[in-house]
């Protein structure tokens, strides 16, 4: 996707807008955006080794029992998504803190490149067995910077 507005996002997932995602106003329900962001985010986590490919059950943490937990998220709706269309959701890191990672999200039309929604989230690295916040593992930090092709340390 060299001409895509998401070309700088290292993880991009494509999918169709389903009819059931529409609301009474004739466009995609705003809550769907967070599902689209989450889908791209889980693919991102799998790429950096913060979760397994499914992001569920025993696959939700790395080998040390550390995994991601969503602390905060937001979305800015730029224009309504209308049926039928194919979409792409992108995810990229913008900051790595001591025990948190800031991610940026965007959703665009796969064919026309129109950006419909953008947002961000803060992820905290958590040891799930004890529910304690822990530092971002060094190997995860290195994997993020390798995937992004730049240093993101704060």
């Amino acid at each position: 996707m060299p001409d895509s507005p998401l070309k700088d996002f290292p993880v991009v997932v494509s999918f169709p807008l389903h009819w059931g995602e529409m609301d009474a106003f004739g466009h995609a329900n705003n809550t769907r955006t967070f599902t689209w962001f989450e889908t791209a985010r889980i693919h991102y986590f799998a790429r950096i080794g913060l979760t397994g490919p499914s992001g569920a059950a025993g696959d939700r943490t790395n080998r040390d029992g550390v995994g991601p937990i969503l602390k905060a998220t937001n979305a800015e709706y730029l224009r309504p998504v209308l049926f039928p269309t194919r979409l792409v959701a992108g995810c990229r890191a913008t900051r790595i803190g001591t025990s948190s990672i800031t991610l940026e999200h965007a959703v665009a039309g796969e064919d026309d490149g129109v950006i419909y929604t953008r947002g961000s989230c803060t992820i905290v690295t958590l040891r799930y067995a004890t529910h304690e916040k822990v530092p971002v593992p060094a190997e995860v930090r290195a994997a993020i910077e390798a995937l992004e092709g730049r240093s993101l340390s704060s």
Side-chain angles (χ1 to χ4, degrees), residues 66-87:
V66 173
I69 192 162
L70 185 65
K71 178 181 180 182
T73 187
N74 67 69
E76 179 184 5
Y77 301 96
L78 305 174
R79 64 188 294 175
V81 181
L82 305 175
F83 186 87
T85 192
R86 286 197 58 82
L87 300 168

Side-chain angles (χ1 to χ4, degrees), residues 34 37-38 41 45 69-75 91-95 100-105 118-124:
F34 293 103
F37 287 177
E38 178 183 54
R41 191 165 57 241
F45 292 158
I69 192 162
L70 185 65
K71 178 181 180 182
T73 187
N74 67 69
C91 183
R92 65 181 170 193
T94 58
R95 181 183 165 280
S100 66
I101 303 163
T102 303
L103 299 173
E104 181 182 352
H105 297 287
R118 61 180 171 222
S120 65
C121 71
T122 303
I123 298 298
V124 171

